């Protein structure tokens, strides 16, 4: 029952996101707010994702991170629900692959995850408590269950929900950056 609820809710929220006005302006505001965070400014590596569709734009974020001397690593999805990250020095090292989402070549090196590594976690919607409605593959939940690193979501303010259908294995984010504010979720680890 909850899977059908999630699928329908995901569809409705993506339609809402698709219809948002000024997404480019809001994405730039989110980018500026994210880049001002101490944990990002002091990061050695940011695990980032290639935005697609109407998601918050991560392309400018990646460029600014690299210009600041911060490594960027992108996810590669593998059979069996496994996801690995690979260090990418330029957008040209990404190509369309998993459901049309740009991914790195798996031959690129994997990042060394340290206490200064930050993970940007994609999602359709989030609650102020860090609950996340992802895209349904479970790749991030599996990866984050094995890697205890700061988890930051990028989300348009209008996609912050009061509640979302979640399951015990769903990993919460620690922080959400919107165009209007930064939410510290106090998510349980």
């Amino acid at each position: 029952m909850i899977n059908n609820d999630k699928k329908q809710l995901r569809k409705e929220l993506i339609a809402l996101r698709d219809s948002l006005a000024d997404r480019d302006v809001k994405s730039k505001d989110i980018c500026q707010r994210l880049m001002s965070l101490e944990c990002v400014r002091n990061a050695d590596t940011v695990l980032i994702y290639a935005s697609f569709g109407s998601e918050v734009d991560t392309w400018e974020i990646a460029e600014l991170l690299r210009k600041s001397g911060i490594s960027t690593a992108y996810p590669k999805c593998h059979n069996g629900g496994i996801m690995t990250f690979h260090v990418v020095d330029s957008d040209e090292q990404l190509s369309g692959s998993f459901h049309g989402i740009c991914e790195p070549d798996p031959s690129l090196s994997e990042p060394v995850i340290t206490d200064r590594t930050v993970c940007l976690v994609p999602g359709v919607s989030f609650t102020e408590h860090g609950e996340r409605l992802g895209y349904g593959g479970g790749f991030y939940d599996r990866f984050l269950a094995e890697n205890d690193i700061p988890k930051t979501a990028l989300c348009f303010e209008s996609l912050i929900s009061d509640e979302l259908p979640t399951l015990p294995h769903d990993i919460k984010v620690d922080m959400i950056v919107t165009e209007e504010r930064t939410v510290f979720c106090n998510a349980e680890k």
Side-chain angles (χ1 to χ4, degrees), residues 154-171:
L154 309 176
C155 185
F156 296 114
E157 183 68 34
S158 59
L159 274 293
I160 299 291
S161 298
D162 290 335
E163 61 182 1
L164 291 168
T166 59
L167 296 170
H169 68 268
D170 292 334
I171 302 292

Side-chain angles (χ1 to χ4, degrees), residues 44-62:
D44 52 8
T45 303
V46 172
L47 308 182
I48 193 168
Y49 55 93
S51 57
F52 75 101
S54 58
E55 287 183 321
V56 172
D57 185 349
T58 61
W59 298 97
E60 181 180 355
I61 293 167

Side-chain angles (χ1 to χ4, degrees), residues 23-37:
R23 272 197 319 268
D24 291 345
V25 172
K26 291 174 181 175
S27 281
K28 286 187 183 304
D29 291 344
I30 291 169
C31 174
Q32 288 178 347
R33 188 175 297 279
L34 177 74
M35 294 302 294
S36 73
L37 294 173

